[in-house]
Amino acid sequence: MTAVNDRARFLIIDDHPLFREALHSAVQMAYPEVDTVEARSITEALDLLADAKPFDLALLDLSMPDVHGFDGLLQLRTRYPRLPVVIVSGYEEPRIISEALSYGAAGFIPKSARKSDLAAAIRSVMDGAIYVPQTYEGQPADADSSDRADMVQRLSKLTPQQLRVLQMLRQGLLNKQIAYELQVGETTVKAHVSEILRKLNVYSRTQAVIEVSKLDNAELFRDQAGF
């Protein structure tokens, strides 16, 4: 990874203002000259990432108002595969950390970490390392993890518009409702759905929704300490 300079940009994605401020402070401790931009949702983050000026690092909270489970991470990884994304989360379950890393996270920083540790973790990732808490012990891969990793690989083949259509399919929207939301014709939506099924290697929109929903891993987050 290239050295950080005064033109580097970090994106903080968190819907809690106090923690955005804490992350901003940790970033300034690690790299005083870095420009820090904040987003309160994945939608806002994607709008910022569409800007011509690229970001060098994204710091992402897993629990966001407009996504479920790992959806936010998956959207960032599929649309911007070269952008390092570090999870900063109140969920510290080892399996959650393992899943985040399997989906391409560049690191996992607990929200309980001290500011100095946050700063050190950010420097570590910018130096090219994958950061995990010292107490973390890697989880062995299982068949489910392999299947999810395979689905993530297939999702990476979708275009941004196809990802939007897939999200709307998961919300239960009909073709004409999707067409209205995207301001395109129903024929265009049908073409997108056909491509989604082909790229995901599934036979129906219902199967696509079921398979992708497995990536939510909602059971991982149930009864864990939130924030």
Side-chain angles (χ1 to χ4, degrees):
M1 187 173 294
T2 57
V4 176
N5 55 46
D6 59 359
R7 297 180 62 86
R9 303 174 81 206
F10 287 0
L11 177 61
I12 294 173
I13 312 168
D14 195 303
D15 63 322
H16 293 268
L18 288 178
F19 204 76
R20 288 200 304 272
E21 182 179 339
L23 275 178
H24 175 80
S25 179
V27 167
Q28 290 300 306
M29 177 182 286
Y31 296 109
E33 302 302 319
V34 166
D35 291 331
T36 304
V37 181
E38 299 178 2
R40 294 164 293 182
S41 67
I42 292 296
T43 301
E44 188 176 341
L46 291 172
D47 288 341
L48 290 167
L49 286 164
D51 187 8
K53 190 173 182 181
F55 286 90
D56 298 275
L57 180 72
L59 298 164
L60 171 68
D61 181 8
L62 277 180
S63 181
M64 299 293 288
D66 55 344
V67 292
H68 302 283
F70 292 101
D71 269 0
L73 173 61
L74 290 168
Q75 288 188 54
L76 295 178
R77 294 297 300 138
T78 53
R79 295 196 191 192
Y80 300 95
R82 294 186 179 181
L83 173 69
V85 180
V86 176
I87 300 299
V88 186
S89 177
Y91 298 109
E92 301 178 24
E93 171 71 27
R95 190 177 169 194
I96 293 177
I97 298 175
S98 294
E99 293 292 345
L101 297 178
S102 73
Y103 296 153
F108 194 104
I109 307 173
K111 280 194 170 183
S112 60
R114 296 175 301 178
K115 184 169 75 170
S116 59
D117 292 334
L118 280 169
I122 291 167
R123 281 194 294 265
S124 177
V125 172
M126 291 303 292
D127 286 339
I130 302 294
Y131 180 85
V132 293
Q134 291 184 351
T135 56
Y136 169 71
E137 295 182 3
Q139 302 287 295
D142 56 25
D144 286 343
S145 294
S146 297
D147 289 343
R148 287 192 289 268
D150 181 60
M151 178 54 70
V152 171
Q153 181 62 33
R154 282 180 266 166
L155 279 170
S156 69
K157 299 176 183 178
L158 300 183
T159 66
Q161 189 77 321
Q162 288 164 1
L163 280 171
R164 291 186 66 191
V165 171
L166 179 59
Q167 287 178 301
M168 292 179 185
L169 291 178
R170 296 184 65 188
Q171 295 167 10
L173 272 61
L174 302 174
N175 283 355
K176 69 178 177 182
Q177 294 173 308
I178 297 174
Y180 175 80
E181 291 292 331
L182 298 180
Q183 298 187 332
V184 298
E186 284 191 58
T187 302
T188 300
V189 174
K190 289 178 181 178
H192 282 317
V193 172
S194 295
E195 275 298 285
I196 289 168
L197 300 184
R198 183 185 68 81
K199 290 179 178 179
L200 297 187
N201 194 27
V202 294
Y203 301 102
S204 69
R205 56 200 290 156
T206 300
Q207 187 185 2
V209 170
I210 291 172
E211 290 299 317
V212 175
S213 293
K214 292 177 182 178
L215 299 179
D216 286 347
N217 289 289
E219 74 281 1
L220 296 179
F221 297 89
R222 190 178 299 122
D223 298 329
Q224 298 295 327
F227 35 90

